[in-house]
């Protein structure tokens, strides 16, 4: 009997092809746009996270006690060998990276400003940090100790370029003011305003000599399982003790965490609004379909069919339209996401200035199978809720009244 209800539902849809096609097209187009919107927004967040986190830290970062608050070289990370020995017992750690970061003044013949100067191990960071892939001009190398990389926005302010000289002035660990000239070998564009506008990079050994310290200010750690991020962070903190502070990247960049949460909430709200609108339209279509066949349903009930069987016909009609719309919509959505994932979405067509908010000019939306789950659930709920009111009206009509309905 159920198979008969399915056949009748299909035939009813087939005899009203224009209306059926319009409903399916409405669902499909809505899903396509929603999937594209979700992919685009998550692409922005993933790009901002990558550009911000992978230019400054790794998964977990260790600092000396109070360094994050006071930025004083006296609070730098000391006893590095002790810390590394403790970390060597943890299987979840893949690699570690050392950096020395502190305030400095940079000057060209035309301009000067305060910056962060960062000493790093360029070759060791090459595969895990993004700097090596964001060279706008020059080469990813320190040919000698007195060479420097700077952000592209900072280079514009300084009026400098490749192979030009700049002067770094710093206050070392003993309080002495010292400075040296450096030659620019790379100009970097990371889409991270903190890096592009106010940071310069030199080799770690040169930074240690310049600041007169044998130590570092941060030890970044890459782990092999992102799902255990907080667990590994807590384990590291317990191992090395309270003389050090350990942070996950989410703790270091709470704004990114907030944006990620806010974006997911915004996407869910968008889905809810869209499907409420779809449901209103869907109810109207189902109502029209039922009212056109009141006499037909009345005859079916008059000759012995139960209202449950009539309801099944309406349910299968609703489910078929919804599911076809879902299949077409998700197929088109993934197709569109695949295209823009390969080509990117160029935001420059909307104007300049996105970089000041940390947003790259070209966004590559990701493709995730999870994009199907919310639409599938929403379509199923919509198809069920949309038939309740029309069926309630039909239920109130007795068979003989239905036959005489005009």
């Amino acid at each position: 009997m159920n198979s008969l209800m399915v056949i009748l539902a299909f035939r009813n849809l087939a005899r009203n092809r224009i209306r059926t096609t319009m409903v399916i097209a409405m669902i499909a187009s809505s899903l396509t746009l929603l999937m594209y919107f979700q992919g685009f927004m998550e692409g922005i967040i993933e790009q901002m996270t990558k550009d911000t986190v992978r230019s400054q830290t790794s998964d977990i970062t260790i600092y000396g006690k109070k360094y994050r608050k006071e930025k004083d070289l006296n609070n730098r990370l000391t006893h590095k060998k002790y810390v590394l020995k403790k970390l060597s017992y943890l299987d979840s750690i893949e690699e570690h990276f050392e950096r020395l970061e502190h305030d400095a003044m940079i000057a060209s013949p035309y301009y000067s400003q305060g910056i962060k100067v960062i000493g790093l191990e360029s070759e060791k960071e090459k595969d895990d940090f993004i700097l090596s892939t964001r060279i706008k001009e020059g080469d990813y190398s320190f040919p000698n100790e007195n060479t420097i990389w700077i952000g592209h926005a900072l280079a514009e302010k300084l009026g400098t370029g490749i192979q030009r000289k700049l002067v770094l002035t710093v206050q070392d660990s003993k309080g002495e003011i010292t400075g040296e000239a450096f030659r620019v070998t790379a100009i970097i564009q990371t889409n991270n305003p903190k890096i592009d506008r106010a940071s310069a990079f030199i080799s770690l050994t040169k930074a240690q000599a310049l600041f007169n310290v044998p130590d570092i200010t941060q030890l970044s750690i890459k782990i092999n399982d992102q799902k255990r991020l907080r667990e590994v962070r807590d384990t590291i903190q317990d191992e090395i003790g309270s003389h050090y502070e350990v942070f996950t990247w989410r703790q270091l960049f709470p704004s990114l965490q907030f944006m990620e949460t806010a974006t997911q909430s915004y996407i869910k709200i968008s889905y809810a609004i869209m499907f409420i609108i779809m449901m209103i339209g869907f109810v109207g279509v189902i109502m029209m379909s039922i009212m056109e066949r009141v006499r037909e349903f009345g005859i079916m009930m008059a000759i012995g069919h139960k209202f449950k069987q009539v309801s099944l016909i309406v349910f299968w009609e609703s489910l078929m339209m919804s599911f076809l719309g879902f299949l077409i919509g998700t197929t088109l959505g993934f197709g569109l996401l695949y295209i823009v994932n390969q080509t990117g979405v160029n935001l420059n067509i909307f104007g300049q200035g996105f970089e000041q908010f940390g947003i790259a000019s070209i966004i590559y939306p990701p493709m995730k199978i999870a994009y199907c789950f919310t639409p599938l659930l929403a379509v199923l709920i919509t198809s069920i809720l949309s038939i309740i009111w029309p069926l309630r009206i039909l239920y109130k009509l007795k068979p003989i009244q239905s036959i005489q309905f005009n």
Side-chain angles (χ1 to χ4, degrees):
M1 182 62 69
N2 286 335
S3 60
L4 177 61
M5 298 299 105
V6 174
I7 294 172
L8 289 175
F10 178 77
R11 289 181 176 178
N12 284 328
L13 293 178
R15 72 183 182 182
N16 293 286
R17 295 178 183 177
I18 295 178
R19 184 166 61 204
T20 301
T21 301
M22 290 181 64
V23 173
I24 293 173
M26 175 186 69
I27 297 172
S29 58
S30 299
L31 287 181
T32 301
L33 292 175
L34 284 172
M35 288 181 65
Y36 176 78
F37 172 74
Q38 183 174 3
F40 177 73
M41 293 301 296
E42 290 191 4
I44 291 178
I45 298 300
E46 287 185 8
Q47 169 267 316
M48 292 181 68
T49 300
K50 181 179 179 181
D51 289 347
T52 301
V53 175
R54 297 304 178 190
S55 62
Q56 296 181 236
T57 69
S58 191
D59 300 321
I60 297 173
T61 305
I62 304 174
Y63 294 96
K65 191 71 172 179
K66 298 182 180 179
Y67 179 79
R68 286 280 299 167
K69 292 182 179 179
E70 300 180 8
K71 301 294 185 182
D72 191 330
L73 283 176
N74 292 324
N75 297 325
R76 63 187 183 272
L77 196 155
T78 56
H79 303 96
K80 181 183 67 177
K81 291 183 178 179
Y82 164 79
V83 175
L84 292 177
K85 183 179 180 180
K86 289 288 187 179
L87 297 180
S88 65
Y89 298 113
L90 302 179
D91 296 333
S92 54
I93 295 177
E94 284 190 4
E95 187 60 272
H96 70 274
F97 310 95
E98 301 174 17
R99 282 190 171 191
L100 174 59
E101 175 184 318
H102 204 57
D103 297 329
M105 178 71 71
I106 194 168
S108 70
Y110 314 102
Y111 184 77
S112 64
Q113 78 167 60
I115 63 165
K116 290 287 184 183
V117 61
I118 301 164
L120 53 81
E121 301 171 292
S122 58
E123 289 304 314
K124 192 172 183 180
E125 290 190 2
K126 189 172 184 178
D127 295 329
D128 294 279
F129 284 68
I130 66 169
L131 298 181
S132 62
T133 63
R134 302 301 171 88
I135 303 297
K136 187 177 181 180
E137 297 179 53
D139 300 312
Y140 181 81
S141 64
F142 295 119
N144 56 65
E145 286 194 343
N146 283 66
T147 51
I148 191 171
W149 309 337
I150 59 175
H152 76 102
L154 178 59
E156 291 178 5
K157 288 183 179 180
L158 295 172
T160 191
I162 299 298
Q163 297 303 316
R164 301 288 293 276
K165 282 191 175 181
L166 301 172
V167 175
L168 276 182
T169 304
V170 305
Q171 184 176 25
D172 65 19
S173 60
K174 296 181 179 180
E176 300 293 332
I177 303 297
T178 183
E180 290 189 35
F182 290 79
R183 191 174 297 278
V184 179
T185 58
I187 295 177
I188 298 172
Q189 183 174 1
T190 64
N191 302 312
N192 179 352
K194 184 176 180 180
I195 298 296
D196 294 342
R197 298 178 186 178
S199 294
F201 299 88
I202 59 178
S203 68
L204 179 59
T205 54
K206 183 60 184 179
Q208 290 172 328
L210 191 63
F211 288 105
N212 195 21
V213 294
D215 307 304
I216 56 177
T217 55
Q218 77 176 56
L219 182 65
S220 296
I221 298 168
K222 179 183 178 183
I223 65 174
N224 53 26
D225 186 359
Q226 290 294 317
K227 295 179 181 179
R228 298 180 58 212
L229 186 64
R230 179 56 70 95
E231 177 188 341
V232 175
R233 178 261 169 204
D234 293 340
T235 301
I236 292 174
Q237 185 71 80
D238 292 338
E239 287 290 329
I240 64 178
S242 59
H243 293 292
Y244 305 92
E245 293 181 322
V246 186
F247 301 92
T248 66
W249 69 265
R250 293 182 180 277
Q251 292 173 306
L252 291 175
F253 306 102
S255 59
L256 291 176
Q257 176 74 36
F258 171 77
M259 289 185 64
E260 183 179 9
T261 303
T263 298
Q264 291 300 322
S265 299
Y266 186 58
I267 289 171
K268 291 176 182 178
I269 292 172
S270 298
Y271 268 104
I273 293 173
M274 182 63 73
F275 276 98
I276 288 173
I277 296 173
M278 286 174 55
M279 187 182 298
I280 294 173
F282 213 55
V283 168
V285 171
I286 296 296
M287 180 69 75
M288 185 181 300
S289 176
I290 287 178
M291 290 306 172
E292 287 178 350
R293 292 177 290 154
V294 169
R295 290 171 60 85
E296 177 184 327
F297 290 143
I299 292 172
M300 291 179 64
M301 288 186 285
I303 63 177
H305 285 84
K306 296 180 180 179
F307 182 78
K308 178 181 178 182
Q309 294 170 325
V310 174
S311 299
L312 277 176
I313 295 176
V314 178
F315 169 74
W316 280 113
E317 289 178 17
S318 174
L319 190 62
M320 284 179 186
M321 287 190 290
S322 299
F323 193 66
L324 280 173
F326 167 77
L327 288 179
I328 295 172
T330 51
T331 300
L332 292 176
F334 275 120
L336 183 58
L337 285 175
Y338 176 78
I339 293 172
V340 295
N341 180 265
Q342 301 300 311
T343 62
V345 181
N346 192 344
L347 298 183
N348 287 330
I349 62 176
F350 302 107
Q352 305 292 326
F354 286 98
E355 292 177 8
Q356 65 180 323
F357 302 106
I359 301 176
S361 58
I362 298 179
I363 301 298
Y364 296 91
M367 295 178 62
K368 300 178 181 177
I369 192 66
Y371 290 169
C372 290
F373 298 152
T374 300
L376 178 59
L377 180 62
V379 162
L380 291 175
I381 293 175
T382 300
S383 62
I384 294 172
L385 294 182
S386 298
I387 66 175
I388 294 177
W389 186 40
L391 286 177
R392 180 178 173 82
I393 293 176
L394 182 62
Y395 179 75
K396 292 180 179 180
L397 298 175
K398 297 180 180 179
I400 189 64
Q401 294 174 324
S402 301
I403 295 172
Q404 295 174 345
F405 184 84
N406 292 318

